Amino acid sequence: MTTLGSNRRVPAHLADRLLDVRRIYHERDIERFPRARQVLERYPDAERIEVLSHQAIPGLYGNAGNVADWVRNKREVLVLGEKKSLSARRNERSSDWIAPSTANGCAMACSYCYVPRRKGYANPITVFTNVEKITGYLERHAARQGPKTVPNQCDPVDWVYDIGENSDCSVDALVSDNVRDLVGLFAGLPNAKASFATKLVNRELLSYEPRGRTRVRFSLMPDETSKLVDIRTSRISERIAAMDDFVEAGYEVHLNLSPVIVHEGWLADWAVLLDQVADSTSERTRAQLAAEIIFLTHNEELHDVNLGWHPSGEELLWRPDLQQAKRSQSGQWNVRYKSPWKGRWVQQLTDLLAEKLPECRVRYAF
Ligand code: SF4
């Protein structure tokens, strides 16, 4: 462990594996925010480059072709900016609300990830530094909702806010205390909980005090598949091994079974994975589990980019024999598994989950 500013202890090997920050783009006067000062102090040797806006950085975004650069950027670049417009968006699938982001971008590089598509491919982590404004907004928003009176698939009792739609909070927590602040906020809210999906085990989070008010959704898929498409993430066995520890530390732990990638023998691989979860977790963990199941969607443009840097993953992700295409509003071709096959596969995996982990309810599957 390494101590880095503000008494935080960060797992050094993890931070070193994912990040080697050499350049920090920041908006003007960013040091007026304590959170910006924290990040800048953490990387004192990084070159600082002032930019007009965190969204418009010449030479950083918009280059789908130069894959080597955008993967390197994930490791070497951070962006500091102010989140200007704050709003919580209705969701109603995994969460009731999508919270305004305290970060976007990711240091990992899953080949099916849609975040780089939105952000112009190079998507290093942007840290939003006005975190007090964001937590204040969330506190007032939750207070306005009052008690949740109608249980739904997100949660039977609490309003659920997704705090990691455009990033992975376990990585964000390596860079700043934004996630710690969010977990602390929700620990004190009577009617709301935070939720995020993750593909990284960051044990620093075990030192926070979530008091049951933050849900961590560990993202799982069969290991052999994960090795091909989950780039720079924690291995599946490590994620499963962390589940009990997160429950013991006061988190609610759920499963994010996604993306489900269909190939010859896929269901047998999922049986092995679910057996591993059942065999490696405590009764207490299994009793509080719930899962969301999301089958893969893919995109022609992302497929073309991936062929340039990671073609073996595309053999799994791009299966025209199994997929059907739909033109998106932006004119892109998105693909998903053909109906009615997909409906049958959803049912097969849901049945398998009921057999292997009978305690685990399915929040939704599609
Ligand atoms: S961990 Fe999540 S946000 Fe990061 S690259 Fe993978 S899918 Fe994208």
Side-chain angles (χ1 to χ4, degrees):
M1 305 279 274
T2 305
T3 303
L4 286 170
S6 73
N7 301 320
R8 289 176 66 248
R9 291 172 69 76
V10 170
H13 62 284
L14 192 59
D16 290 347
R17 177 170 79 76
L18 286 171
L19 293 164
D20 176 16
V21 176
R22 296 177 179 203
R23 222 170 330 135
I24 300 180
Y25 294 96
H26 61 87
E27 292 175 350
R28 178 169 297 180
D29 267 345
I30 203 73
E31 289 185 60
R32 70 188 185 281
F33 297 109
R35 185 51 35 88
R37 293 200 296 277
Q38 180 190 46
V39 176
L40 291 168
E41 281 164 20
R42 186 157 301 157
Y43 305 104
D45 299 329
E47 179 189 7
R48 299 179 187 183
I49 303 169
E50 187 177 303
V51 289
L52 276 178
S53 159
H54 66 85
Q55 285 169 311
I57 300 179
L60 186 61
Y61 300 137
N63 186 350
N66 199 348
V67 173
D69 267 0
W70 58 262
V71 174
R72 195 175 67 232
N73 282 335
K74 287 167 170 289
R75 182 172 173 74
E76 297 186 356
V77 171
L78 288 180
V79 181
L80 298 179
E82 180 183 2
K83 179 85 178 162
K84 305 259 173 11
S85 61
L86 303 186
S87 65
R89 231 177 54 240
R90 208 76 171 105
N91 178 250
E92 294 175 337
R93 239 183 198 153
S94 183
S95 63
D96 296 292
W97 303 94
I98 306 288
S101 311
T102 57
N104 69 34
C106 184
M108 298 184 281
C110 308
S111 57
Y112 48 79
C113 179
Y114 59 84
V115 173
R117 234 190 292 158
R118 285 193 187 158
K119 221 178 150 192
Y121 289 93
N123 71 333
I125 296 169
T126 296
V127 180
F128 292 119
T129 53
N130 51 331
V131 65
E132 296 87 355
K133 202 166 165 196
I134 297 169
T135 51
Y137 171 88
L138 281 168
E139 190 170 5
R140 290 189 299 279
H141 190 277
R144 279 202 302 279
Q145 307 315 308
K148 186 177 194 173
T149 52
V150 182
N152 64 8
Q153 65 182 26
C154 305
D155 195 271
V157 177
D158 291 306
W159 298 109
V160 180
Y161 288 75
D162 197 312
I163 59 170
E165 191 201 23
N166 290 314
S167 66
D168 189 306
C169 290
S170 303
V171 187
D172 300 339
L174 295 172
V175 176
S176 86
D177 281 346
N178 279 0
V179 177
R180 182 190 287 270
D181 288 351
L182 288 164
V183 170
L185 168 76
F186 281 93
L189 296 185
N191 63 338
K193 63 172 67 156
S195 172
F196 65 89
T198 188
K199 296 182 169 67
L200 188 81
V201 177
N202 178 355
R203 290 181 172 271
E204 187 199 357
L205 271 64
L206 298 173
S207 68
Y208 300 178
E209 289 182 18
R211 298 190 194 140
R213 313 300 289 164
T214 292
R215 172 184 297 164
V216 179
R217 288 139 48 216
F218 279 105
S219 194
L220 300 181
M221 69 170 71
D223 189 48
E224 288 305 310
T225 309
S226 171
K227 277 181 190 154
L228 272 171
V229 294
D230 284 354
I231 315 294
R232 310 192 83 207
T233 63
S234 299
R235 292 272 51 88
I236 294 294
S237 56
E238 192 185 345
R239 299 181 217 172
I240 295 172
M243 288 171 58
D244 283 357
D245 297 336
F246 275 74
V247 170
E248 292 298 324
Y251 290 92
E252 183 179 44
V253 170
H254 281 187
L255 300 176
N256 167 265
L257 304 179
S258 116
V260 180
I261 299 168
V262 174
H263 56 92
E264 290 63 25
W266 70 279
L267 200 58
D269 290 351
W270 277 89
V272 172
L273 172 74
L274 296 174
D275 278 339
Q276 199 183 346
V277 175
D279 294 345
S280 312
T281 51
S282 68
E283 216 170 287
R284 180 181 172 195
T285 297
R286 291 195 301 278
Q288 53 88 73
L289 276 185
E292 59 211 18
I293 299 174
I294 307 165
F295 277 66
L296 173 76
T297 57
H298 199 25
N299 167 278
E300 189 177 34
E301 190 185 3
L302 186 60
H303 168 63
D304 288 342
V305 171
N306 287 350
L307 284 178
W309 72 287
H310 192 50
S312 55
E314 288 310 293
E315 287 171 22
L316 280 170
L317 298 180
W318 189 256
R319 289 288 305 263
D321 54 329
L322 304 180
Q323 291 161 326
Q324 61 193 29
K326 191 177 172 202
R327 175 101 57 191
S328 72
Q329 284 173 343
S330 61
Q332 275 296 308
W333 285 106
N334 293 330
V335 299
R336 64 197 64 201
Y337 293 120
K338 287 178 184 169
S339 55
W341 296 345
K342 182 180 163 186
R344 280 205 294 276
W345 294 333
V346 169
Q347 193 57 52
Q348 284 176 330
L349 186 53
T350 308
D351 291 347
L352 186 68
L353 183 65
E355 178 198 328
K356 301 288 185 185
L357 283 170
E359 309 91 334
C360 180
R361 73 195 154 84
V362 175
R363 287 198 291 104
Y364 66 94
F366 72 93

